[in-house]
Amino acid sequence: DVAEGERLLGQLAAGEIETFRVEKGYRRKDGAIVYAEIFVRELDSVANQPRRLICVGLDITERKRAEERALESRRIRDFHFDNTPLAVVEFTSDLCIKRWSRRAEKIFGWSEAEAVGRTAEQLCMLSPAQFEVRRERVGKMFRGETDQVSAVLPMLHRNGRQLWIEVYNSVTRDDDGQVLSMISMALDVTESQEMLRMLNESEARFRGIFNQAAVGIALLDDQGRWLNVNDKLCEIVGYSMDELLERDFQSITHPEDLERDVLMASAVMDRSID
């Protein structure tokens, strides 16, 4: 801090400024560093006396320490903001985008410069059908009915492609409980949702084949208990579906065929045969 202090002192001595204020560190006698806010001005001149300066110092050590801790905390927060695998978006209390992480850029296609200051609706990230649902979800947090809300919902990429996004929303408040901002963390689950859709479609097709097949079909557990049977199997064996689901295949197998049947079923289960 020496060079800055000397520069300001030189300006004051040359009459370029009348006073100055500077924050600087001092090394105490015991070696510790303390900080002070210094106000300096020249005293009115007195005949036959050298020029004199008056300096007023305010101890700001605790404030500087707090600022350093806050700065470090902000650095850590900023690091996580930009490096988490989740898209992180901070909204103002009126739901304008305040911060937009790099991951958000990648998931939604909008740059930070394009997103900041606009709403999700203005970026067309939501379909009109989602507007009211979002307002209700956000309203619960703003009214203090819940601390956070999560949901899986359809959203739109900048190019119009539909995404499935799992969002986690929470709000920050001031000491009076007023909402300062809303933090939204978003995970792109489009791929898993698409796989689930395909599985559901596959299961629906399987159910259609299972129920309408002209041959008897059954699902069994590894103990031979019936888990599901179709109408054709019930017709073949003469039992109702409810009756079969209370039994196992061993109980309706002809005794002379049972041993061979159990052995073959066991061979399938241990994969010695297909």
Side-chain angles (χ1 to χ4, degrees), residues 1-7 22-26 33-36:
D1 295 330
V2 172
E4 177 67 3
E6 289 181 341
R7 182 184 69 81
V22 66
E23 293 181 3
K24 58 190 297 188
Y26 288 95
I33 299 296
V34 294
Y35 295 92

Side-chain angles (χ1 to χ4, degrees), residues 266-274:
S266 298
V268 170
M269 292 299 293
D270 66 21
R271 298 182 179 179
S272 58
I273 62 173
D274 292 332

Side-chain angles (χ1 to χ4, degrees), residues 190-260:
T190 305
E191 185 175 344
S192 60
Q193 286 292 311
E194 182 63 18
M195 290 177 62
L196 182 60
R197 183 188 65 79
M198 293 172 62
L199 285 171
N200 287 336
E201 289 181 356
S202 177
E203 184 181 359
R205 287 194 297 269
F206 173 75
R207 283 198 303 269
I209 295 170
F210 186 93
N211 293 326
Q212 299 172 27
V215 296
I217 306 177
L219 291 177
L220 298 92
D221 66 13
D222 59 358
Q223 301 301 310
R225 290 183 291 260
W226 308 96
L227 300 176
N228 199 1
V229 296
N230 70 350
D231 292 339
K232 187 62 177 178
L233 182 66
C234 293
E235 179 186 329
I236 292 171
V237 298
Y239 288 92
S240 70
M241 182 178 296
D242 289 340
E243 289 173 329
L244 277 181
L245 295 181
E246 293 178 353
R247 291 170 167 78
D248 54 30
F249 83 86
Q250 294 94 321
S251 66
I252 67 166
T253 300
H254 190 284
E256 294 179 5
D257 295 327
L258 183 58
E259 181 178 0
R260 182 187 59 175

